[in-house]
Amino acid sequence: MCGIVGYIGGDPAAPFLLQGLEKLEYRGYDSAGVAVYDGTSLRVVKAKGRLQVLKDLIHDGKDVPGTVGIGHTRWATHGAPSDINSHPQVSDSGKFAVVHNGIIENYLALKQHLIRRGVSFVSETDTEVVAQLLEYYYKGDIMDAVIKVLQKVEGSYALGIICADKPDQLVAVRKDSPLIIGLGQEENFIASDVPAILSRTRDIYRLNDNEIAIIQREGVRIYDMDKELIPKEPVHVEWDVTAAEKGGYEHFMAKEIMEQPKAVRDTISPRIKDGRIVLDNITLTADQLKTFRKIFIVACGSAYHVGMVAKYVLEKMTRIPVEVDVASEFRYREPIIDEKVLVLVISQSGETADTLAAMREAKRLGARTLSIVNVVGSSIANESDDVIYTWAGPEIAVATTKAYSTQLAVVYLLAIYMADLSGCLTAEEYAAYLTELQALPDKIEKILQNRENIQYLASQHFNAKDVFFIGRNLDYAMSLEGSLKLKEISYIHSDAYAAGELKHGTISLVEDGTLVIALATHQNLFDKMMSNVKEVKARGAVVLGMTTENNTQIEQVTDHVFYIPQTCDVMLPSLTVIPLQLFAYYVASMKGCDIDKPRNLAKSVTVE
Ligand code: AGP
């Protein structure tokens, strides 16, 4: 997720581009840049770091003259944050400059194709391929070149394009990434989202997939891929800037919960090619995999809870023993580690101190390390032997949601990949798991469409004093995350228990009216869970049950039920977590809590 802006009009472009990018920094903030036509050529200035670095570099735009230009603020996916990898990316001769939001999945193949034809690349980005292809196909008609490029690239993109030969226009096109056109008086705009342009106009065109916009000072024309003109109705935006940054949601957490289908799809789809899982940048071989006598998983907070799920899933599918540790314990307990151990490190930020130190300790002891990280170029990503990135985009809310869900998706990709490498899966099982995996985003979407039911349950229980989450197997791991989400944003005391443990003492805390959230999504443990639910009901608990659609008998023993769609056992956590996030969110918002910035909680704990 990155932020794109463009301007063409009578005013200096650069100052507006910087103002627009400032409003889009929630979409990415690891580097930024602008390209402005200064009357003779494209002037491109870009820099690693927050937008302020660029603003200082060009004195708020005063150093870059010209009235047409594009700008970008980045959330790296391909190529760690650096001046060179920042956008705009430029073609060999400097004729084309491109800003991009999305992922060009087949960029490596296209890059090789162009290199063989003498094109030289300067960056590690997927985006530079677009700039180079534009120049490769350009024969004087910019739209022809754009269409040829779009016929070659695969993946998701929102593109802002400026050509030194055609300084009287900007070109914009999108597929699976958002892009709007702002309509002004004698000036027009491109933007990833409305906050960037609200200071200049509230009238926009929402671009649909594969529509090509030619934006000039006098007006905007929209074409389809056959160069047919498309009539468009402008939309008038009512939102204020703050609301717009949150996509119209009250909190970033709500926005990020709703972004999960796309985040999971963006993380999964580039890694499945022709019915096979392709983990491009990991170098782990089947032979190496066979040498591992054990897998350790280290992480903190919610990432540790993903580790709990990964233990069940990896052991079940690869039959390699897995141990999960909170990083702050692992690093000081002299774990038994050697070169026959794989240490899986999970972190959204890639900077959490305990997790980083635990990984360094594991490396010192000879382990092979593989990290699952959301921030490209972060310390954990840079220092681990292999890294698999989650593509959740920046997560602004402190309480993680979409990053958590993309980490689960990577765990499934990894488990299927490793199980296949170690011959633990038949071809049918492999294909079945891939089918279930690719169906997850739509099933998450379905649960989100049902969120009113959770909102209702939250309205019944937001005054609860104590809440117990119970479950067995993966549902126990999910209870831990459900409990943490509720605690960290609503300040209600809650605890998670393996349901079979309750009778060994803790059940004494369950009394009349105690709220118990019982997760019973596993078919083979459903009856066991029903008996645990009856135990707490017998003590007067109010029980909210969660299970899959086929288990309606749960209604006989619970006060309320929330049903999730069916999927294979190992992938149920991806569906179970959504209602748990929603419940915590609605309870906290009904209590008027500061959800995006819970009291004394940092996004990632880096200081020791
Ligand atoms: C979860 O909502 C919290 N933000 C926190 O527990 C977090 O998961 C933990 O600090 C680990 O952060 P990381 O994933 O960036 O390493």
Side-chain angles (χ1 to χ4, degrees):
M1 200 154 109
C2 302
I4 286 175
V5 283
Y7 175 85
I8 184 162
D11 291 343
F16 167 78
L17 297 174
L18 294 174
Q19 283 155 25
L21 291 176
E22 201 170 313
K23 295 292 175 209
L24 293 179
E25 268 205 302
Y26 66 90
R27 302 178 60 85
Y29 41 76
D30 61 39
S31 51
V34 294
V36 176
Y37 184 75
D38 64 5
T40 50
S41 66
L42 291 179
R43 180 85 189 282
V44 177
V45 187
K46 50 190 186 171
K48 179 185 175 188
R50 301 292 299 243
L51 182 66
Q52 194 57 44
V53 176
L54 178 67
K55 288 172 85 169
D56 296 344
L57 202 58
I58 58 176
H59 299 95
D60 295 328
K62 296 189 196 65
D63 299 4
V64 184
T67 59
V68 55
I70 53 177
H72 186 269
T73 180
R74 188 174 186 233
W75 179 264
T77 59
H78 292 80
S82 68
D83 295 353
I84 292 284
N85 289 338
S86 309
H87 295 207
Q89 289 292 320
V90 184
S91 63
D92 248 2
S93 70
K95 190 191 292 290
F96 284 94
V98 173
V99 289
H100 169 221
N101 169 36
I103 295 171
I104 306 295
E105 291 171 14
N106 60 339
Y107 81 103
L108 276 177
L110 294 169
K111 191 170 182 175
Q112 300 316 328
H113 173 83
L114 289 169
I115 289 172
R116 283 195 296 276
R117 285 159 182 73
V119 176
S120 50
F121 282 74
V122 295
S123 80
E124 301 157 283
T125 67
D126 52 336
T127 306
E128 187 183 357
V129 163
V130 176
Q132 302 288 19
L133 275 175
L134 282 167
E135 181 156 312
Y136 182 76
Y137 287 120
Y138 181 67
K139 307 284 180 275
D141 180 322
I142 199 170
M143 191 126 79
D144 277 350
V146 169
I147 290 171
K148 282 205 177 79
V149 171
L150 300 184
Q151 285 159 347
K152 286 282 175 212
V153 298
E154 290 161 16
S156 60
Y157 48 79
L159 296 167
I161 300 164
I162 184 168
C163 174
D165 284 10
K166 305 275 181 188
D168 67 334
Q169 61 187 259
L170 294 175
V171 180
V173 60
R174 60 149 298 185
K175 176 179 160 296
D176 296 340
S177 286
L179 199 60
I180 59 170
I181 312 296
L183 308 169
Q185 302 304 321
E186 283 292 301
E187 58 181 14
N188 290 301
F189 313 87
I190 299 174
S192 295
D193 204 349
V194 284
I197 57 167
L198 280 182
S199 62
R200 304 287 279 255
T201 180
R202 286 182 169 279
D203 298 314
I204 65 167
Y205 286 149
R206 286 199 184 286
L207 219 52
N208 295 323
D209 278 359
N210 304 320
E211 289 181 346
I212 303 168
I214 304 294
I215 302 111
Q216 297 185 289
R217 176 174 175 167
E218 309 72 31
V220 175
R221 297 183 313 285
I222 314 279
Y223 296 88
D224 63 18
M225 293 287 272
D226 304 320
K227 296 173 86 168
E228 295 295 325
L229 209 52
I230 301 171
K232 268 277 202 219
E233 269 315 302
V235 176
H236 187 74
V237 179
E238 302 295 349
W239 287 338
D240 66 34
V241 173
T242 319
E245 282 173 356
K246 294 174 186 153
Y249 295 98
E250 201 186 337
H251 300 98
F252 277 109
M253 184 179 178
K255 176 173 176 279
E256 289 160 6
I257 288 175
M258 299 307 287
E259 285 174 348
Q260 294 185 95
K262 181 173 185 324
V264 171
R265 199 174 285 116
D266 287 353
T267 298
I268 291 173
S269 57
R271 275 86 183 238
I272 299 179
K273 296 194 176 100
D274 311 322
R276 300 293 304 169
I277 291 178
V278 181
L279 299 177
D280 292 344
N281 39 24
I282 76 166
T283 56
L284 209 52
T285 64
D287 294 343
Q288 282 165 326
L289 194 64
K290 290 198 179 84
T291 65
F292 294 134
R293 64 177 173 78
K294 189 168 189 176
I295 298 173
F296 273 83
I297 303 177
V298 290
C300 299
S302 289
Y304 165 75
H305 295 153
V306 170
M308 287 285 287
V309 171
K311 172 184 169 59
Y312 289 95
V313 174
L314 286 168
E315 284 191 342
K316 179 180 170 88
M317 294 175 67
T318 69
R319 305 318 292 154
I320 300 174
V322 178
E323 193 171 325
V324 193
D325 253 307
V326 286
S328 52
E329 283 301 309
F330 178 91
R331 60 183 292 200
Y332 297 117
R333 74 170 179 83
E334 298 170 36
I336 303 164
I337 297 272
D338 56 31
E339 67 295 338
K340 291 202 174 345
V341 164
L342 173 67
V343 173
L344 182 57
V345 178
I346 307 175
S347 174
Q348 186 285 126
S349 60
E351 301 296 349
T352 300
D354 282 322
T355 309
L356 181 58
M359 183 179 80
R360 288 176 176 158
E361 175 64 2
K363 290 185 74 156
R364 188 184 67 76
L365 294 167
R368 170 116 192 173
T369 55
L370 167 61
S371 64
I372 299 177
V373 171
N374 194 47
V375 180
V376 174
S378 56
S379 308
I380 291 174
N382 289 348
E383 293 181 30
S384 59
D385 298 310
D386 286 305
V387 56
I388 305 174
Y389 287 114
T390 54
W391 284 324
E395 199 169 55
I396 310 295
V398 166
T400 185
T401 53
K402 60 177 182 172
Y404 179 96
S405 288
T406 57
Q407 287 161 358
L408 285 180
V410 169
V411 164
Y412 305 142
L413 282 165
L414 191 59
I416 300 167
Y417 182 82
M418 290 168 81
D420 178 55
L421 271 186
S422 44
C424 294
L425 285 182
T426 64
E428 294 69 36
E429 287 167 330
Y430 186 96
Y433 275 127
L434 280 199
T435 308
E436 286 297 340
L437 189 56
Q438 289 168 301
L440 284 178
D442 291 347
K443 290 179 179 174
I444 294 171
E445 191 78 66
K446 189 165 169 234
I447 295 170
L448 292 171
Q449 280 152 11
N450 231 347
R451 61 190 178 280
E452 276 72 31
N453 291 353
I454 297 285
Q455 192 169 16
Y456 167 73
L457 292 175
S459 68
Q460 304 298 299
H461 300 288
F462 71 93
N463 282 325
K465 288 279 163 293
D466 305 293
V467 181
F468 290 103
F469 292 77
I470 61 172
R472 286 172 174 265
N473 196 285
L474 283 167
D475 282 334
Y476 167 52
M478 296 319 298
S479 300
L480 292 165
E481 180 59 10
S483 173
L484 175 61
K485 281 281 131 347
L486 190 65
K487 277 185 285 216
E488 70 176 320
I489 60 174
S490 75
Y491 321 130
I492 292 176
H493 164 255
S494 84
D495 249 324
Y497 289 96
E501 252 317 273
L502 277 181
K503 57 182 166 295
H504 301 293
T506 314
I507 199 157
S508 60
L509 291 174
V510 178
E511 53 195 21
D512 220 13
T514 302
L515 179 60
V516 173
I517 298 185
L519 309 183
T521 68
H522 277 267
Q523 218 43 50
N524 53 5
L525 292 166
F526 184 75
D527 296 342
K528 280 261 179 227
M529 269 309 291
M530 288 309 96
S531 56
N532 295 127
V533 169
K534 288 179 188 145
E535 283 168 5
V536 293
K537 276 303 289 175
R539 300 181 69 89
V542 174
V543 180
L544 306 189
M546 192 196 307
T547 188
T548 49
E549 288 139 355
N550 55 317
N551 289 326
T552 53
Q553 65 275 38
I554 194 172
E555 292 170 17
Q556 290 142 25
V557 293
T558 54
D559 300 273
H560 305 281
V561 183
F562 187 84
Y563 291 104
I564 59 170
Q566 278 279 24
T567 183
C568 56
D569 270 2
V570 293
M571 295 182 196
L572 278 163
S574 286
L575 306 182
T576 312
V577 73
I578 308 298
L580 295 173
Q581 295 164 345
L582 288 166
F583 184 76
Y585 174 75
Y586 287 127
V587 165
S589 56
M590 289 165 191
K591 290 185 67 179
C593 303
D594 181 355
I595 288 171
D596 283 341
K597 295 240 174 321
R599 59 186 180 214
N600 54 26
L601 258 185
K603 179 67 193 166
S604 76
V605 185
T606 52
V607 288
E608 251 312 290

